[in-house]
C-alpha cells in the first residue's frame, strides 16, 4: 500500500463545492487584493484564536519579520530562539537587523529548553521567539515569567500549532505577538502561501498592518516605508471555508497520534513523541526517533510509506551560520536529535488501513 505523507487533494475533494464556490465568488467580484474576503478571514481567525487583532500577510516568514519590525528590532539587538526549527524563525531575526542567539532544545518535547534561556540573556537581548515545534507548545508560562523579569518581548512562532494549548490556554495568546503560517501542508493550509500575525495590542496591530501594506492602511497613504506582504483574496476565501473544520481536523490528528502511540510504543528502537503535562499537542507532525533513522526511512520508502525529516540540520549547524562558530558541544541535544528524527504520515484524512500499514512497516524494519 502507498501511504502519502499527506493528501492535500483528498482534503480539497472533501470541501470541493464550498472551495470552488468561494474561488468563483472572488473571481466574480475581482476582490483579489485585500477586500471583503481578507477582512472577513482576519476577523474569523482572530475569533478562533481568542485574540483581538489579526493582521494577515503573504506568508509565515513575513509574519515574523513584520512583527519584529513593529517591535522595533534594530541592528545589534539579540533575539533568543530555539536551535531546532525551520530557518524562517532565525533568518527573520537577521533580516530585521538583529542577531539570532540559539538555545538548545528540551530532550523530551524538542521545544526550547527554558532552563537555558536566562544564561543567554545579555544587555543586547530584546526578545524571545519560542517555536511550538511540530504542534507541541513550548513552556509558555515559564517563558513569559523570564520575559517579564528581564523586560523582553515575546513572539510566539505558531506556524505548526494552530489550536494547541498550555493548561487550557491557546498558544498565540501568551506573548506580545503570535505568527502563523497557512502553507498548504499546515493544519490550516491555504492553496498557496499565506500567513497572519495576531495580538491583543491594537497599536502594535496597526503598526504591523501599515508596514505590511507599503506603510499605510489606506491606498495612497504612506506614513512610513513598508513592504508588500498581503494575503490575497483567493487564499483568504479558501481559508474561511477551511477554518470551521480546523477543530474537527485537529481532533482527528490527535486520535491518529494516540493510536500511533499505542502501536509504536512496543517496537524496539522506536521512540515516540513525549507530550509535556498540561500541553495539548495538535500534531502538525508526528515525529519518532530511531538510531538508524536513514535506514528506516529508506526501508519505509521501499514499502510505499512516504516520510520526511523535519529538520535534518539544526539551525546553529547550517552553513549560513558557520561564521558564528557553533559546535555540537554547544547544543548537544539538538545535535543528537537531528540524526534521529523522522516524521511519519499523519493527517485528518489518513485512513486506519494506511495508519496500520505504517505501523506494520516500522515493525518489520527491526524483525
Amino acid at each position: 500500500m502507498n501511504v502519502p505523507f499527506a493528501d492535500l487533494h483528498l482534503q480539497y475533494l472533501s470541501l470541493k463545492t464550498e472551495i470552488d464556490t468561494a474561488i468563483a465568488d472572488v473571481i466574480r467580484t475581482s476582490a483579489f487584493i485585500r477586500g471583503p474576503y481578507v477582512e472577513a478571514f482576519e476577523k474569523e481567525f482572530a475569533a478562533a484564536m481568542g485574540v483581538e487583532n489579526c493582521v494577515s500577510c503573504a506568508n509565515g516568514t513575513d509574519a515574523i519579520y513584520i512583527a519584529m519590525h513593529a517591535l522595533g528590532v534594530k541592528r545589534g539587538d539579540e533575539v533568543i530562539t530555539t536551535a531546532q526549527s525551520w530557518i524562517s524563525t532565525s533568518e527573520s531575526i537577521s533580516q530585521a537587523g538583529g542577531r539570532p542567539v540559539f538555545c538548545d532544545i528540551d530532550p523530551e518535547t524538542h521545544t526550547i529548553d527554558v532552563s537555558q534561556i536566562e544564561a543567554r540573556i545579555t544587555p543586547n537581548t530584546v526578545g524571545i521567539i519560542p517555536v511550538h515545534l511540530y504542534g507541541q507548545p513550548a513552556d509558555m508560562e515559564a517563558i513569559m515569567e523570564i520575559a517579564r523579569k528581564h523586560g523582553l518581548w515575546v513572539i510566539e512562532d505558531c506556524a505548526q500549532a494552530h489550536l494547541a494549548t498550555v493548561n487550557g490556554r491557546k498558544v498565540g495568546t501568551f506573548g506580545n505577538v503570535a505568527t502563523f503560517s497557512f502553507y498548504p501542508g499546515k493544519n490550516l493550509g491555504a492553496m498557496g502561501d499565506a500567513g497572519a500575525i495576531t495580538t491583543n495590542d491594537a497599536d502594535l496591530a496597526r503598526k504591523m498592518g501599515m508596514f505590511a501594506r507599503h506603510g499605510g492602511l489606506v491606498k495612497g497613504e504612506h506614513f512610513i516605508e513598508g513592504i508588500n506582504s498581503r494575503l490575497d483574496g483567493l487564499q483568504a476565501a479558501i481559508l474561511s471555508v477551511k477554518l470551521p473544520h480546523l477543530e474537527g481536523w485537529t481532533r482527528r490528528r490527535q486520535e491518529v497520534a494516540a493510536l500511533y502511540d499505542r502501536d509504536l510504543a512496543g517496537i524496539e528502537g522506536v521512540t515516540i513523541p513525549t507530550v509535556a503535562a498540561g500541553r495539548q499537542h495538535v500534531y502538525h507532525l508526528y515525529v519518532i526517533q530511531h538510531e538508524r533513522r536513514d535506514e528506516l526511512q529508506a526501508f519505509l520508502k521501499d514499502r510505499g510509506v512516504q516520510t520526511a525529516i523535519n529538520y535534518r540540520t539544526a539551525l546553529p549547524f547550517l552553513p549560513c551560520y558557520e561564521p558564528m562558530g557553533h559546535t555540537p558541544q554547544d547544543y548537544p541535544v539538538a545535535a543528537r536529535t537531528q540524526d534521529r528524527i523522522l516524521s511519519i504520515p499523519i493527517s485528518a484524512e489518513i485512513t486506519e488501513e494506511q495508519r496500520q500499514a505504517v505501523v506494520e512497516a516500522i515493525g518489520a524494519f527491526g524483525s
Side-chain angles (χ1 to χ4, degrees):
M1 175 183 291
N2 289 321
V3 184
F5 191 68
D7 193 338
L8 301 183
H9 184 63
L10 186 59
Q11 185 187 81
Y12 161 68
L13 292 177
S14 71
L15 298 171
K16 185 178 186 303
T17 300
E18 298 96 320
I19 290 176
D20 288 356
T21 299
I23 291 172
D25 287 345
V26 174
I27 294 172
R28 176 177 53 81
T29 58
S30 298
F32 300 116
I33 303 296
R34 293 297 304 171
Y37 299 98
V38 173
E39 292 168 3
F41 175 71
E42 288 176 332
K43 292 177 182 177
E44 293 160 1
F45 191 70
M49 297 302 110
V51 295
E52 294 295 325
N53 306 284
C54 171
V55 177
S56 62
C57 59
N59 53 69
T61 306
D62 279 2
I64 303 171
Y65 171 65
I66 291 164
M68 281 191 292
H69 184 277
L71 287 164
V73 174
K74 62 184 184 303
R75 192 160 301 282
D77 287 345
E78 296 178 356
V79 179
I80 297 171
T81 194
T82 177
Q84 181 73 330
S85 182
W86 179 238
I87 194 171
S88 293
T89 309
S90 54
E91 72 181 355
S92 296
I93 297 170
S94 300
Q95 289 165 356
R99 177 180 179 272
V101 175
F102 297 111
C103 191
D104 207 359
I105 59 173
D106 178 88
E108 299 294 326
T109 66
H110 298 184
T111 57
I112 190 169
D113 187 341
V114 174
S115 69
Q116 298 188 24
I117 291 177
E118 286 195 280
R120 286 165 168 74
I121 295 174
T122 74
N124 294 323
T125 306
V126 295
I128 308 169
I129 304 182
V131 179
H132 304 307
L133 194 68
Y134 306 146
Q136 165 135 238
D139 187 352
M140 287 311 303
E141 292 171 345
I143 290 168
M144 293 309 300
E145 184 176 344
I146 293 169
R148 285 189 292 267
K149 177 181 176 181
H150 295 276
L152 308 176
W153 50 253
V154 173
I155 297 173
E156 295 181 65
D157 185 338
C158 303
Q160 301 180 3
H162 313 69
L163 299 186
T165 63
V166 178
N167 292 323
R169 181 176 172 182
K170 289 177 182 173
V171 299
T173 64
F174 290 88
N176 302 76
V177 183
T179 62
F180 292 84
S181 169
F182 306 120
Y183 185 79
K186 293 296 194 289
N187 291 24
L188 178 64
M191 290 183 169
D193 266 327
I197 319 153
T198 60
T199 182
N200 284 318
D201 185 328
D203 183 59
L204 196 57
R206 183 175 178 275
K207 290 179 181 177
M208 293 188 296
M210 288 176 59
F211 185 65
R213 292 153 60 179
H214 292 295
L217 298 176
V218 177
K219 188 173 183 179
E221 293 183 353
H222 308 282
F223 296 100
I224 60 173
E225 288 185 330
I227 63 171
N228 179 13
S229 181
R230 297 175 294 199
L231 175 65
D232 70 70
L234 287 167
Q235 301 304 336
I238 291 165
L239 288 167
S240 286
V241 169
K242 290 187 173 187
L243 183 57
H245 300 274
L246 181 58
E247 286 192 11
W249 290 339
T250 301
R251 286 193 298 270
R252 173 58 182 157
R253 285 176 177 270
Q254 291 166 336
E255 290 167 359
V256 173
L259 293 171
Y260 271 145
D261 288 348
R262 181 196 69 190
D263 295 342
L264 295 175
I267 298 179
E268 186 177 356
V270 174
T271 301
I272 62 173
T274 299
V275 182
R279 303 186 213 176
Q280 186 183 62
H281 198 316
V282 296
Y283 296 100
H284 169 59
L285 298 170
Y286 187 94
V287 182
I288 63 173
Q289 295 185 64
H290 199 287
E291 290 287 355
R292 297 161 57 201
R293 188 267 315 280
D294 292 343
E295 294 174 58
L296 174 59
Q297 184 177 40
F299 183 88
L300 295 176
K301 181 179 179 181
D302 287 343
R303 280 150 185 79
V305 176
Q306 189 178 38
T307 61
I309 298 173
N310 307 95
Y311 302 94
R312 186 177 291 274
T313 305
L315 293 174
F317 313 132
L318 290 170
C320 58
Y321 296 119
E322 282 183 3
M324 292 184 173
H326 300 302
T327 68
Q329 290 72 36
D330 297 327
Y331 310 96
V333 181
R336 178 173 183 268
T337 301
Q338 68 181 4
D339 297 327
R340 293 171 47 88
I341 49 176
L342 184 67
S343 303
I344 63 175
I346 189 168
S347 67
E349 293 76 32
I350 192 171
T351 67
E352 179 57 16
E353 186 180 18
Q354 289 173 324
R355 191 198 66 80
Q356 288 180 355
V358 175
V359 172
E360 290 170 5
I362 293 172
F365 175 69
S367 61

